[in-house]
């Protein structure tokens, strides 16, 4: 072997896995396709890119010294600050010399005789390791719409997930933004002051509520520093990985005036507080959800002056959290600018992209810049494209042809010593807090194998089937509908399977506990 462990991907999870591996005495190498660390915060450099988890709950919590060595500037940090943070963490932890940049993995082959993996990258890297951790992330494969002529456009065009290192010039330009998901609704208000005109192409609207960002004051910084242990312990115990406190009261215990006063407080609350701290039955009682949606629709009508545009911005195909809710700053108000127009692709579908612009059924509009905010192949996208071959040459993309089959959202039968933390069947909360449980499970399992003389760990088929049965059984209780990308609905031909763990962190820990209690019985060889 060249190293004990290869980590793929230098995002929040991959960096943590590398740190844990080296900390336990393993030799390890991290391969990263990009030129820098940060994962999504390296690739998604578009204007307005920003966290919607509180910054201080998103960073690493395994080291008090590391936590105290960094001061977040905003409650919800923007892309530049996030990228700086991960560079700070890598250098403070002394990890940079164990990372190889510009090495996009295109093959990972398991050898049964030696119980090792041969990993190859497109820069010529070839490394053999006992274990592979593919921390490739769930939002790392950008998707472009299948529109005729897309390559013919003669102007500037970028996907938000593949944004260039150098700034894109929007000044005085005719700009199109295609997509109004989490990325699109951040880009649109961020560039409107610069453009000559801005045309937004929307397939379906989302329930957009205010992010309510703010700077972190000196007093708040002091409180964070002095309260590190409490913060860490609270987040570790949290089912969602957030600090927001759940509400015990249900919606219709209150009168309409009382409910709408709560809705108003929630509208003005930060980020995911609107999901976690709202009425306890908000995601389980349709009437409660409808009441909140009615409130939000009224707010949109108040914010957007043109009634027809306002109605196009109000979802009719899903309730609150039926899709991943975007949190915004000044998004709805942007449509009051006379330079901004909205094209509803349900009313006027794409015809083609031309050299000069975008043609829909109501005509051709000419542009200098197109921003494709058209999303990602969520969950399985990167893993299915990586050339992973397990026992007997089993292709991962074939094994997952009808949707991912995993255990703990972490490993699959037929692929010994291969892990994918932060992948499909992962978190529906603050992702780094969920993924840290997976990172620790992997590191502890490898240490156990080493100390007890085992070469390989693989989930038994029936154990994997039990996890997948749990996912299928509980998915029906999730607020996310099949029109959400959490079901792969944005990818033509992709199997409609739930791509999250609907049981969340409690179910993850329950299943992990059973494995640990059995001392990995039936997993080892």
């Amino acid at each position: 072997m060249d190293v004990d462990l290869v980590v793929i991907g230098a995002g929040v999870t991959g960096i943590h896995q590398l740190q844990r591996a080296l900390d336990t005495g393993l030799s390890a190498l991290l391969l990263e396709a990009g030129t820098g660390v940060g994962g999504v915060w390296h690739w998604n450099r578009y204007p307005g890119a920003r966290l919607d988890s509180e910054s201080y709950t998103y960073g690493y919590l395994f080291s008090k010294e590391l936590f105290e060595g960094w001061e977040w500037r905003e409650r919800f940090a923007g892309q530049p600050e996030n990228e700086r943070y991960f560079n700070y963490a890598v250098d403070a932890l002394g990890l940079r010399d164990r990372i190889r940049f510009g090495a996009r993995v295109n093959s990972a082959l398991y050898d049964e005789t030696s119980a090792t993996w041969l990993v190859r990258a497109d820069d010529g890297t070839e490394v053999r390791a006992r274990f592979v951790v593919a921390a490739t992330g769930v939002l790392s494969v950008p998707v472009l719409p299948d529109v005729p002529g897309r390559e013919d456009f003669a102007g500037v065009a970028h996907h938000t997930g593949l944004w260039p290192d150098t700034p894109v010039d929007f000044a005085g330009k005719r700009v199109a933004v295609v997509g109004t998901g989490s990325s699109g609704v951040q880009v649109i208000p961020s560039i409107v002051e610069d453009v000559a005109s801005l045309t937004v192409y929307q397939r379906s609207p989302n329930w957009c509520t205010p992010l309510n960002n703010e700077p972190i004051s000196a007093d708040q910084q002091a409180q964070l520093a002095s309260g590190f242990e409490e913060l860490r312990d609270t987040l570790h115990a949290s089912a969602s990985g957030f600090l927001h406190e759940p509400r015990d009261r249900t919606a219709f215990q209150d009168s309409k005036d009382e409910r709408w006063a709560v809705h108003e407080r929630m509208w003005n609350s930060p980020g995911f507080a609107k999901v976690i701290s709202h009425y306890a039955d908000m995601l389980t009682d349709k009437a409660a959800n409808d009441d909140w949606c009615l409130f939000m629709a009224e707010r949109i009508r108040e914010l957007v002056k043109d009634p027809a545009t306002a109605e196009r911005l109000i979802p009719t195909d899903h309730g609150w959290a039926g899709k991943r809710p975007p949190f915004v700053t000044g998004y709805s108000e942007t449509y009051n600018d006379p330079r901004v127009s909205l094209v509803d692709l349900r009313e006027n579908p794409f015809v083609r992209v031309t050299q000069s612009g975008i043609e829909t059924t109501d005509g051709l509009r000419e542009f200098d810049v197109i921003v494709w905010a058209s999303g990602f192949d969520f969950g399985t996208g990167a893993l299915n494209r990586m050339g992973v071959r397990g026992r007997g040459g089993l292709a991962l993309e074939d094994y997952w042809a009808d949707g991912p089959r995993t255990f703990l959202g972490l490993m699959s039968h037929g692929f010994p010593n291969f892990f994918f933390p932060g992948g499909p069947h992962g978190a529906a909360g603050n992702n780094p807090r969920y993924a840290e449980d997976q990172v620790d499970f992997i590191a502890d399992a490898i240490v156990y194998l080493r100390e007890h003389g085992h070469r390989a760990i693989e989930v038994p088929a029936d154990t994997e089937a039990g996890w997948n049965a749990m996912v299928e059984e509980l998915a029906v209780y999730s607020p996310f509908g099949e029109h959400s990308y959490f079901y792969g609905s944005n990818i033509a031909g992709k199997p409609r399977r739930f791509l999250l763990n609907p049981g969340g962190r409690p179910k993850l820990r329950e299943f992990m506990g059973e494995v640990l209690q059995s001392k990995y019985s039936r997993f080892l060889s």
Side-chain angles (χ1 to χ4, degrees):
M1 293 187 301
D2 298 307
V3 292
D4 296 316
L5 174 71
V6 166
V7 180
I8 303 169
V12 59
T13 303
I15 293 169
H16 190 183
Q17 193 73 67
L18 177 64
Q19 182 272 334
R20 277 299 320 263
L22 297 174
D23 194 48
T24 57
L26 296 171
S27 58
L29 176 68
L30 190 153
L31 303 179
E32 165 57 42
T35 58
V37 301
V40 296
W41 304 110
H42 170 77
W43 296 102
N44 291 258
R45 300 171 176 273
Y46 61 85
R50 183 173 296 280
L51 277 170
D52 54 17
S53 300
E54 281 77 4
S55 310
Y56 42 84
T57 72
Y58 188 87
Y60 297 119
L61 299 177
F62 54 78
S63 164
K64 183 177 182 180
E65 182 180 2
L66 188 70
F67 182 87
E68 291 180 342
W70 182 266
E71 287 192 352
W72 293 100
R73 298 178 181 181
E74 296 178 275
R75 181 193 291 269
F76 301 104
Q79 181 275 331
E81 185 176 3
N82 292 324
E83 190 174 23
R84 287 195 301 270
Y85 170 76
F86 286 110
N87 276 283
Y88 152 76
V90 163
D91 291 332
L93 296 167
L95 302 179
R96 195 168 293 274
D97 64 349
R98 303 308 304 156
I99 302 174
R100 186 168 300 170
F101 296 104
R104 183 180 296 277
V105 171
N106 53 27
S107 172
L109 311 175
Y110 184 67
D111 179 70
E112 296 183 58
T113 303
S114 63
T116 60
W117 287 87
L118 180 62
V119 180
R120 295 188 176 101
D122 61 5
D123 69 336
T125 294
E126 188 170 296
V127 58
R128 186 171 294 279
R130 177 75 67 202
F131 305 97
V132 173
V133 177
T136 49
V138 291
L139 296 171
S140 54
V141 177
V143 172
L144 289 161
D146 185 17
V147 183
R150 184 170 46 78
E151 299 295 334
D152 297 336
F153 181 62
V156 174
H158 296 293
H159 191 286
T160 52
L162 292 171
W163 205 258
D165 293 347
T166 55
V168 175
D169 181 15
F170 292 102
K173 301 295 174 62
R174 301 164 299 172
V175 179
V177 175
V178 180
T180 55
S182 295
S183 300
V185 299
Q186 290 183 327
V187 171
I188 290 162
S190 299
I191 65 174
V192 69
E193 293 301 323
D194 297 327
V195 303
S197 66
L198 176 58
T199 304
V200 178
Y201 290 85
Q202 174 183 271
R203 183 181 60 177
S204 58
N206 288 289
W207 289 110
C208 294
T209 57
L211 178 64
N212 294 316
N213 192 23
E214 63 182 6
I216 298 177
S217 68
D219 287 346
Q220 290 170 321
Q221 296 284 8
Q223 291 171 11
L224 287 169
S226 64
F228 169 74
E229 286 84 2
E230 182 180 358
L231 173 78
R232 179 197 59 202
D233 294 348
T234 301
L235 290 170
H236 183 71
S238 167
S240 63
F242 288 102
L243 293 176
H244 309 301
E245 290 290 335
R247 184 186 299 267
D248 293 330
R249 196 168 181 83
T250 57
F252 293 100
Q253 288 179 288
D254 288 345
S255 68
K256 180 179 177 179
D257 287 347
E258 290 169 331
R259 290 196 309 275
W260 282 48
V262 171
H263 295 338
E264 183 69 27
R265 289 198 298 274
M266 289 295 98
W267 181 266
N268 293 307
S269 68
F272 275 95
K274 300 174 188 65
V275 178
I276 298 164
S277 301
H278 217 316
Y279 284 114
D281 56 348
M282 181 56 62
L283 302 183
T284 56
D285 184 336
K286 186 178 183 302
N289 196 296
D290 287 347
D291 192 63
W292 169 229
C293 290
L294 185 61
F295 174 90
M296 290 187 288
E298 287 204 6
R299 292 306 299 265
I300 293 168
R301 293 185 184 107
E302 291 170 3
L303 291 169
V304 180
K305 295 176 182 177
D306 177 58
T309 300
E311 293 307 313
R312 290 188 177 98
L313 294 172
I314 296 171
T316 57
D317 62 349
H318 67 281
W320 170 244
K323 295 181 180 180
R324 200 267 196 210
F327 301 105
V328 298
T329 301
Y331 172 67
S332 297
E333 299 92 319
T334 301
Y335 292 95
N336 296 327
D337 191 309
R339 296 170 297 166
V340 179
S341 58
L342 178 65
V343 177
D344 189 329
L345 291 171
R346 294 171 299 184
E347 299 173 4
N348 298 292
F350 286 126
V351 174
R352 65 179 61 84
V353 178
T354 71
Q355 279 194 322
S356 62
I358 297 174
E359 183 180 353
T360 55
T361 53
D362 65 339
L364 172 67
R365 295 170 177 86
E366 295 189 335
F367 301 109
D368 303 302
V369 181
I370 298 177
V371 176
W372 298 104
S374 44
F376 300 85
D377 186 351
F378 182 84
T380 57
L383 293 165
N384 276 342
R385 289 168 169 81
M386 212 164 58
V388 179
R389 301 293 180 263
R391 280 192 294 104
L394 176 62
L396 183 64
E397 64 268 28
D398 291 339
Y399 191 62
W400 286 0
D402 294 324
R405 296 152 69 182
T406 84
F407 178 64
L408 307 176
L410 196 57
M411 53 204 305
S412 286
H413 178 69
F415 300 86
N417 295 351
F418 183 82
F419 306 93
F420 40 90
H425 294 166
N430 191 4
N431 194 57
R433 303 285 68 84
Y434 184 98
E436 69 187 357
D437 290 354
Q438 295 180 315
V439 166
D440 289 341
F441 180 89
I442 294 167
D444 293 344
I446 292 174
V447 168
Y448 187 91
L449 264 69
R450 182 179 60 186
E451 292 178 349
H452 291 83
H454 296 282
R455 297 197 310 167
I457 180 169
E458 178 184 0
V459 59
D462 60 337
T463 303
E464 178 187 82
W467 171 269
N468 284 272
M470 180 276 294
V471 171
E472 292 293 320
E473 179 183 349
L474 297 185
V476 297
Y477 300 106
S478 168
F480 301 118
E482 291 194 13
H483 41 260
S484 165
Y485 65 69
F486 294 135
Y487 275 90
S489 64
N490 62 322
I491 307 295
K494 186 169 183 173
R496 297 297 183 261
R497 294 287 185 273
F498 197 53
L499 298 171
L500 296 174
N501 163 18
R505 213 174 184 185
K507 275 294 178 186
L508 176 72
R509 289 176 170 176
E510 177 187 327
F511 276 76
M512 282 181 171
E514 291 172 0
V515 175
L516 296 175
Q517 189 173 17
S518 73
K519 296 183 178 179
Y520 307 97
S521 174
R522 301 176 58 236
F523 280 69
L524 305 178
S525 60

